Each structure stands twice: as C-alpha cells, then as structure tokens.
Amino acid sequence: NAGVTQTPKFQVLKTGQSMTLQCAQDMNHEYMSWYRQDPGMGLRLIHYSVGAGITDQGEVPNGYNVSRSTTEDFPLRLLSAAPSQTSVYFCASSYGRHYQYGYTFGSGTRLTVV
Amino acid sequence: DQQVKQNSPSLSVQEGRISILNCDYTNSMFDYFLWYKKYPAEGPTFLISISSIKDKNEDGRFTVFLNKSAKHLSLHIVPSQPGDSAVYFCAASARGGGSEKLVFGKGTKLTVNP
C-alpha cells in the first residue's frame, strides 16, 4: 500500500518559474486536498476535490491551479512562482467525509522559491 | 480571524503522566473536530475525532473531550510516552456546503521526557 505519494520531496525554483507538484493515491479515495504549512501558521487549504472532474478553492488558492482528471491523481500547478510560495505542501485524501475516516496525508514537498 | 486556536505553542510532560492539549474555536457551525499528530519531515497522521453531538470520544490512550458551550475541546493522552513527542494539530469542519474543508489550528508541540 503506497497510500498518498507526493513528488518531488524537495524543489528549488526561481521566481517566475512554473512547476507541478504531483500527488497520487492508490486507495480509491473520493476526496483529495492540497494544504500548505508555513512556520507558526498551521495548515491552510489551497484547493480540494470531491471527485474526478470536480475541484474548488480553499483558503489560499491564489497562484495555484488544480485539475482532477482521474480519481488517483490531483496535481497542483504553480503558475509563476513567488518567494511567498516557499512552504511545505501536503496532499491528502479521504474515502468519504473526512471526519469519519480522517484524511491520509502524503509526506510533503518542501518548496523553496528564490 | 483564526477560527481554530491552539494557544499553547508547546507543552512538556514527564513519561507516564497525563498530557492535555487544548483547542478553542469560534465558528458555531463547526460540527466535527479532529486531532492530528505530526512528526518532523512527515505528513500529519489522523489520531481521533469527535462529532458535535458527543462530548467524549476515547481510543486507547487518547480521549477527546468537547465542551460546546465553551467552544473548547481537549485531547488527553494517558499515560504519555516518549514516542508521543510530536506536534499536535486540532482541526474542525463546518456542516453544510464545503464540509470537506478542514480548518487547522497552529499546533502544539508536545515533548514527553523519559
């Protein structure tokens, strides 16, 4: 069981570059989400999806795009990286309403924008 | 405005004693609460949850108490073990549209001393 797999684990970008953070789960979970964690800020929701073809914005969506073409994959795209996007990014998935089962989180992608 | 607050950034307890982690919330629409544990360089791990229709939920050494009138919940760990040393996040979800979204507190770093 791979669970939730995030790639890459580390990335350094220059300001203005674009990139895609990959997230894949093999548990046939309906719900998937992207969070970012900044020092002293807890986790903040960027975008989420309740199924293939359905996405919605979270608390801090600006500068990020998502799509959900399959149940398994939920990539997060940074359109034009900025230093303010330096953070640790977590992808999470859940079979149903998260409060019944809890979200399963990936191990994170540490992104530095210089 | 922070809807989920963990006012203690850190807590230190002796092995075998009780650890009590606190969480306050402001949104009366929250109807489900979760606790996550996070070790360095790993993703958060779901620990325990409680519905707003209950005031207590227990799972082994972990018990969560909910006081709706005070908008307060707490996580008790008895007995505390050195392996419990981690950052603990309180999270909440509101009923209705967008209930897939979790709002996290900033976390409390627990250190259990041998």
Side-chain angles (χ1 to χ4, degrees), chain A residues 31 35 37 40-43 45 48 50 90 97-99 101-103 105-107, chain B residues 32 34 36 38 41-44 46 49 89 93 98-102 104-106:
Chain A
Y31 296 174
Y35 289 84
Q37 184 188 16
M41 293 293 292
L43 286 87
L45 180 64
Y48 67 100
V50 299
F90 291 102
R97 294 291 183 185
H98 55 75
Y99 37 77
Y101 310 103
Y103 268 115
F105 281 80
S107 58
Chain B
Y32 230 95
L34 303 89
Y36 282 83
K38 186 182 180 304
E42 294 184 10
F46 172 69
S49 64
F89 290 99
S93 169
S99 61
E100 304 81 11
K101 296 187 282 189
L102 280 178
F104 283 84
K106 294 184 177 181

Coordinates of all heavy atoms in Angstrom, one line a residue, chain A residues 31 35 37 40-43 45 48 50 90 97-99 101-103 105-107, chain B residues 32 34 36 38 41-44 46 49 89 93 98-102 104-106:
Chain A
Y31 N -12.1 12.0 -2.0 CA -11.8 13.4 -1.7 C -10.2 13.5 -1.7 O -9.5 12.7 -1.1 CB -12.3 13.8 -0.3 CG -13.8 13.8 -0.1 CD1 -14.3 14.0 1.1 CD2 -14.6 13.6 -1.2 CE1 -15.7 14.0 1.3 CE2 -16.0 13.7 -1.0 CZ -16.5 13.9 0.2 OH -17.9 13.9 0.4
Y35 N -2.8 21.2 1.0 CA -2.5 22.2 2.1 C -1.1 22.7 2.0 O -0.2 22.0 1.5 CB -2.7 21.5 3.4 CG -4.1 21.2 3.8 CD1 -4.7 20.0 3.3 CD2 -4.9 22.0 4.6 CE1 -6.0 19.7 3.7 CE2 -6.2 21.7 4.9 CZ -6.8 20.5 4.4 OH -8.1 20.2 4.8
Q37 N 1.9 24.4 4.6 CA 2.2 24.6 6.0 C 3.4 25.6 6.1 O 4.5 25.3 5.6 CB 2.6 23.3 6.8 CG 2.9 23.6 8.3 CD 3.4 22.4 9.0 OE1 3.9 21.4 8.4 NE2 3.4 22.4 10.3
G40 N 4.6 28.5 12.1 CA 3.6 29.2 13.0 C 2.3 29.5 12.4 O 1.5 30.2 13.0
M41 N 1.9 28.8 11.3 CA 0.7 29.1 10.6 C -0.3 27.9 10.6 O -1.4 28.0 10.1 CB 0.9 29.6 9.2 CG 1.5 30.9 9.1 SD 0.5 32.2 9.8 CE -0.8 32.2 8.6
G42 N 0.2 26.7 11.0 CA -0.6 25.5 10.9 C -0.7 25.1 9.4 O 0.1 25.5 8.6
L43 N -1.8 24.4 9.0 CA -2.0 24.0 7.7 C -3.2 24.8 7.1 O -4.2 24.9 7.7 CB -2.3 22.5 7.6 CG -1.2 21.5 7.8 CD1 -1.0 21.2 9.3 CD2 -1.4 20.2 7.0
L45 N -5.7 25.4 3.6 CA -6.2 24.7 2.5 C -6.1 25.5 1.2 O -6.5 26.7 1.2 CB -7.7 24.3 2.7 CG -8.4 23.6 1.6 CD1 -7.8 22.2 1.4 CD2 -9.9 23.5 1.9
Y48 N -9.3 21.8 -3.2 CA -9.7 20.5 -2.9 C -10.7 19.9 -4.0 O -11.1 20.7 -4.8 CB -10.4 20.4 -1.5 CG -11.8 21.2 -1.4 CD1 -13.0 20.5 -1.5 CD2 -11.8 22.6 -1.3 CE1 -14.2 21.2 -1.4 CE2 -13.0 23.2 -1.2 CZ -14.2 22.6 -1.3 OH -15.4 23.2 -1.2
V50 N -13.8 16.8 -4.6 CA -14.7 15.8 -4.1 C -14.9 14.6 -5.0 O -15.6 13.7 -4.7 CB -16.0 16.3 -3.6 CG1 -15.8 17.4 -2.5 CG2 -16.8 16.9 -4.8
F90 N 1.4 19.7 1.4 CA 0.9 18.4 1.7 C -0.4 18.1 0.9 O -1.3 18.9 0.8 CB 0.5 18.3 3.2 CG 1.7 18.3 4.1 CD1 2.0 19.4 4.8 CD2 2.5 17.1 4.3 CE1 3.1 19.4 5.7 CE2 3.6 17.2 5.1 CZ 3.9 18.3 5.8
R97 N -16.5 11.4 3.8 CA -16.4 12.6 4.7 C -15.3 12.4 5.6 O -15.2 11.5 6.4 CB -17.7 12.8 5.5 CG -18.9 13.1 4.6 CD -18.8 14.5 4.0 NE -20.0 14.9 3.2 CZ -20.1 16.0 2.5 NH1 -19.1 16.8 2.4 NH2 -21.2 16.2 1.8
H98 N -14.3 13.3 5.6 CA -13.1 13.1 6.3 C -13.3 12.9 7.8 O -12.5 12.2 8.4 CB -12.2 14.3 6.1 CG -12.8 15.6 6.5 ND1 -13.0 16.0 7.8 CD2 -13.4 16.6 5.8 CE1 -13.7 17.1 7.9 NE2 -13.9 17.5 6.7
Y99 N -14.4 13.4 8.4 CA -14.5 13.2 9.8 C -14.9 11.8 10.2 O -14.8 11.4 11.3 CB -15.5 14.2 10.4 CG -16.7 14.4 9.5 CD1 -17.8 13.5 9.4 CD2 -16.8 15.6 8.8 CE1 -18.9 13.8 8.7 CE2 -17.9 15.9 8.0 CZ -19.0 15.0 8.0 OH -20.0 15.2 7.2
Y101 N -13.3 9.2 8.6 CA -12.1 8.3 8.4 C -10.8 9.1 8.6 O -9.8 8.5 8.8 CB -12.1 7.8 7.0 CG -13.4 7.1 6.7 CD1 -14.3 7.7 5.8 CD2 -13.7 5.8 7.1 CE1 -15.5 7.1 5.5 CE2 -14.9 5.2 6.8 CZ -15.8 5.8 6.0 OH -17.0 5.2 5.7
G102 N -10.9 10.4 8.6 CA -9.7 11.2 8.7 C -9.0 11.2 7.4 O -9.0 10.3 6.6
Y103 N -8.4 12.3 7.0 CA -7.6 12.4 5.8 C -6.3 11.7 6.0 O -5.7 11.7 7.1 CB -7.3 13.9 5.5 CG -8.3 14.5 4.6 CD1 -9.1 15.6 5.0 CD2 -8.4 14.1 3.2 CE1 -10.0 16.2 4.1 CE2 -9.3 14.7 2.4 CZ -10.1 15.8 2.8 OH -11.0 16.4 2.0
F105 N -2.5 11.8 4.8 CA -1.6 12.8 4.2 C -0.4 12.2 3.6 O 0.1 11.1 4.1 CB -1.1 13.8 5.3 CG -2.1 14.9 5.6 CD1 -3.2 14.6 6.5 CD2 -2.0 16.1 5.1 CE1 -4.1 15.6 6.8 CE2 -3.0 17.1 5.4 CZ -4.0 16.9 6.3
G106 N 0.1 12.8 2.5 CA 1.4 12.4 2.0 C 2.5 13.0 2.9 O 2.2 13.7 3.9
S107 N 3.8 12.7 2.5 CA 4.9 13.1 3.4 C 5.4 14.5 3.0 O 6.3 15.0 3.7 CB 6.1 12.1 3.2 OG 6.4 12.0 1.8
Chain B
Y32 N -17.7 19.0 13.5 CA -16.8 17.8 13.6 C -15.4 18.3 13.9 O -15.0 19.3 13.3 CB -16.8 16.9 12.4 CG -17.1 15.5 12.7 CD1 -18.4 14.9 12.6 CD2 -16.0 14.7 13.0 CE1 -18.6 13.6 12.9 CE2 -16.2 13.3 13.3 CZ -17.5 12.8 13.3 OH -17.7 11.5 13.6
L34 N -11.2 17.1 14.8 CA -10.3 16.1 14.6 C -8.9 16.5 15.2 O -8.6 17.7 15.3 CB -10.0 15.8 13.1 CG -11.2 15.4 12.3 CD1 -11.9 16.6 11.7 CD2 -10.8 14.5 11.1
Y36 N -4.8 15.7 14.8 CA -3.7 15.1 14.0 C -2.4 15.2 14.8 O -2.2 16.2 15.5 CB -3.6 15.7 12.6 CG -4.6 15.4 11.6 CD1 -5.9 16.0 11.6 CD2 -4.4 14.4 10.7 CE1 -6.8 15.6 10.7 CE2 -5.3 14.0 9.8 CZ -6.6 14.6 9.8 OH -7.5 14.2 8.9
K38 N 1.8 15.1 14.1 CA 2.8 15.3 13.1 C 4.2 15.2 13.6 O 4.6 15.9 14.5 CB 2.6 16.6 12.3 CG 3.5 16.7 11.1 CD 3.4 18.1 10.5 CE 4.3 18.2 9.3 NZ 5.7 18.0 9.6
A41 N 9.3 16.1 9.2 CA 9.6 15.6 7.9 C 8.6 14.5 7.5 O 8.8 13.7 6.6 CB 11.0 15.0 7.8
E42 N 7.4 14.5 8.2 CA 6.4 13.5 7.8 C 5.1 14.3 7.6 O 4.9 15.4 8.1 CB 6.2 12.4 8.8 CG 7.4 11.5 8.9 CD 7.1 10.4 9.9 OE1 5.9 10.2 10.3 OE2 8.0 9.6 10.3
G43 N 4.1 13.7 7.0 CA 2.8 14.3 6.9 C 2.0 14.0 8.2 O 2.3 13.2 9.0
P44 N 1.0 14.9 8.5 CA 0.1 14.7 9.7 C -0.5 13.3 9.6 O -0.9 12.8 8.5 CB -0.9 15.8 9.6 CG -0.3 16.8 8.7 CD 0.6 16.0 7.7
F46 N -3.8 11.1 11.2 CA -5.1 11.2 11.9 C -5.0 10.5 13.2 O -4.6 9.3 13.2 CB -6.2 10.7 11.0 CG -7.5 10.6 11.7 CD1 -8.2 11.7 12.1 CD2 -8.1 9.3 11.9 CE1 -9.5 11.6 12.7 CE2 -9.3 9.2 12.6 CZ -10.0 10.3 12.9
S49 N -11.2 11.7 16.4 CA -12.2 12.7 16.0 C -13.4 12.7 17.0 O -13.6 11.7 17.7 CB -12.7 12.6 14.6 OG -13.4 11.3 14.4
F89 N -2.1 18.9 16.0 CA -3.0 19.9 15.4 C -4.4 19.5 15.7 O -4.9 18.4 15.5 CB -2.8 19.9 13.9 CG -1.5 20.5 13.4 CD1 -0.4 19.6 13.1 CD2 -1.3 21.8 13.3 CE1 0.8 20.1 12.6 CE2 -0.1 22.3 12.9 CZ 1.0 21.5 12.6
S93 N -14.4 21.1 11.1 CA -15.2 21.1 9.8 C -16.6 21.6 10.1 O -17.2 21.3 11.1 CB -15.2 19.7 9.2 OG -16.1 19.7 8.2
G98 N -19.2 22.7 1.6 CA -17.8 22.9 2.0 C -17.3 22.1 3.2 O -16.3 22.4 3.8
S99 N -18.1 21.1 3.6 CA -17.8 20.4 4.8 C -16.6 19.5 4.6 O -16.0 18.9 5.5 CB -19.0 19.5 5.3 OG -19.3 18.6 4.3
E100 N -16.1 19.4 3.3 CA -14.9 18.7 3.0 C -13.7 19.4 3.5 O -12.6 18.9 3.6 CB -14.7 18.4 1.5 CG -15.9 17.7 0.9 CD -17.1 18.6 0.6 OE1 -16.9 19.9 0.6 OE2 -18.2 18.1 0.3
K101 N -13.8 20.7 3.8 CA -12.7 21.6 4.2 C -12.4 21.5 5.6 O -13.3 21.5 6.5 CB -13.0 23.0 3.8 CG -13.1 23.2 2.3 CD -13.3 24.7 1.9 CE -14.6 25.2 2.2 NZ -14.8 26.6 1.7
L102 N -11.1 21.3 6.0 CA -10.7 21.3 7.3 C -10.0 22.6 7.6 O -9.2 23.1 6.8 CB -9.7 20.2 7.6 CG -10.2 18.8 7.8 CD1 -9.1 17.8 8.0 CD2 -11.2 18.7 9.0
F104 N -7.4 24.2 10.4 CA -6.5 23.7 11.3 C -6.1 24.9 12.3 O -6.0 26.0 11.9 CB -5.2 23.2 10.6 CG -5.3 21.9 10.0 CD1 -5.9 21.7 8.8 CD2 -4.9 20.7 10.7 CE1 -6.0 20.4 8.2 CE2 -5.0 19.5 10.2 CZ -5.6 19.3 8.9
G105 N -5.7 24.5 13.5 CA -5.0 25.3 14.4 C -3.6 25.4 14.1 O -3.1 24.6 13.2
K106 N -2.8 26.2 14.8 CA -1.4 26.3 14.5 C -0.5 25.2 15.1 O 0.7 25.1 14.8 CB -0.9 27.7 15.0 CG -1.5 28.9 14.3 CD -0.9 30.2 14.8 CE -1.5 31.3 14.0 NZ -0.9 32.6 14.4

